[in-house]
Amino acid sequence: VRGRELVGQRSETVRRANLSAIARELHGRGALSRSELVARTGLTRSAIRGLIAEFVAANLVVEERSEPDGLPGRPSPLVRPRREAAVVLALEIAVDSIAAALVGLDGETIAQERVDRARGHSSVEEVTRDLLVLASRLSDLRRLRRALLGVGVAVVGIVGREDGLVSTAPNLGWRDVALGERLATALGLDVPIAVANEADLGALIELRRGAARGADDLLFIAGEVGVGGGIVVSGRPLTGVAGYAGEIGHLPVNPEGLPCRCGATGCWETEIGEEALLRKAGRPAAGGREAVDAVIAAAFAGDPAALGAVNEVGRWLGRGVAGLVNVLNPRVVVLGGLFSRLYPLLIDRVEEQLDRLALAAPRATVRLAPAQLGIDAPLLGAAELAFEPFLANPAAWLGARDSLAAETA
Ligand SMILES: [Zn+2]
């Protein structure tokens, strides 16, 4: 009996893993033919047929006859995830904007809203209220409530992954804010809420859908006022003990440098962040987004002062990247935010520093790339975070649906 139980448990584990593999493919790529699913998952044709039937029964996917493909035999049916059958709500609190989006099972955004907010400190109450207004403007939210799997939140701060506690967010003026709890109460939704740092989520989405697709070892560098990092090692985010890892903006790089918002001196972000760019270009450091846009435009127009500042930021950026490449041996370094906007102007400086300072072996295997998902990367990453429990184990959810159906029958 024990042996048979064990076999049963093992086959249940296999079934779950296979359902997860299929869910990830359909979520990551949208509609796929059965033969594409066979090729991508390595499962047999008959296994795929049975597993797809489970998703069909739960109303999560539909199968469609595909167009004749000119090959002998019947064309393989197209498996299409039903976008609105399972959705997540994504929220973002950035330095100078907040955003909300509703993302569907096929990975497509159903509705999205972003509004500017003034830079500087604002209370948690204010931000929560503004996010609620924004979320309620996603008119589909009410209609899709029953299909809601969870909420993901990207925040420009240092976040404990387990409890959604924002320990510090210098750009918002927050310290020890139980953001997950606050939002759960405010939203009044009976679904899990996951909170994470926006650079970590930028890394996640660049890995799933952007510049680092297919890579397992990634360093994502987000340059804004602050500089954040998202690190993925062997396919897993590097979180540290409590989720605080990846604060690369606060690498101490310049003992002769300037005071940093964090209280230390000469952190990397005081040499490569937006304020550093403005200062090096001879402009007031507190100029904000318009001033940054002006320096970037001037640099692209060939203005010597602006180009000089970009070169200097590029050299400091390359110096730090060289150190991180030595430590992490990543496959891809994705440059986001400010650095993706300046990429064509500063990439040569960064490569030069890598050639000079990085060890030959990790240098030879690393590739630099500009971020592909732009300003929405953290928001879309928050959606991925909210989808993760479902994608990791759709079987649990299929089960819940079954029992729900049984109750209502
Ligand atoms: Zn610092």
Side-chain angles (χ1 to χ4, degrees), residues 180-240:
E181 241 175 76
R182 293 259 189 161
L183 283 170
T185 310
L187 286 165
L189 294 168
D190 188 22
V191 292
I193 295 194
V195 185
N197 169 269
E198 54 170 13
D200 287 340
L201 294 174
L204 178 67
I205 198 73
E206 289 292 340
L207 198 71
R208 294 265 172 93
R209 298 176 190 274
R213 200 166 178 153
D216 269 348
D217 292 270
L218 160 75
L219 168 62
F220 175 78
I221 305 177
E224 312 289 345
V225 175
V227 172
I231 299 167
V232 177
V233 178
S234 303
R236 290 173 179 276
L238 184 77
T239 61

Side-chain angles (χ1 to χ4, degrees), residues 228-289:
I231 299 167
V232 177
V233 178
S234 303
R236 290 173 179 276
L238 184 77
T239 61
V241 173
Y244 302 136
E247 287 300 321
I248 56 173
H250 301 284
L251 277 172
V253 296
N254 187 357
E256 315 295 320
L258 295 169
C260 179
R261 244 181 307 267
C262 74
T265 297
C267 290
W268 200 21
E269 76 178 40
T270 66
E271 298 294 348
I272 63 172
E274 285 181 0
E275 290 180 2
L277 178 73
L278 292 175
R279 212 179 52 243
K280 290 176 202 286
R283 306 190 186 209
R289 186 158 45 156

Side-chain angles (χ1 to χ4, degrees), residues 29-40:
R29 299 180 184 268
L32 290 170
S33 71
R34 266 198 219 164
S35 8
E36 283 172 307
L37 279 169
V38 167
R40 295 198 158 276

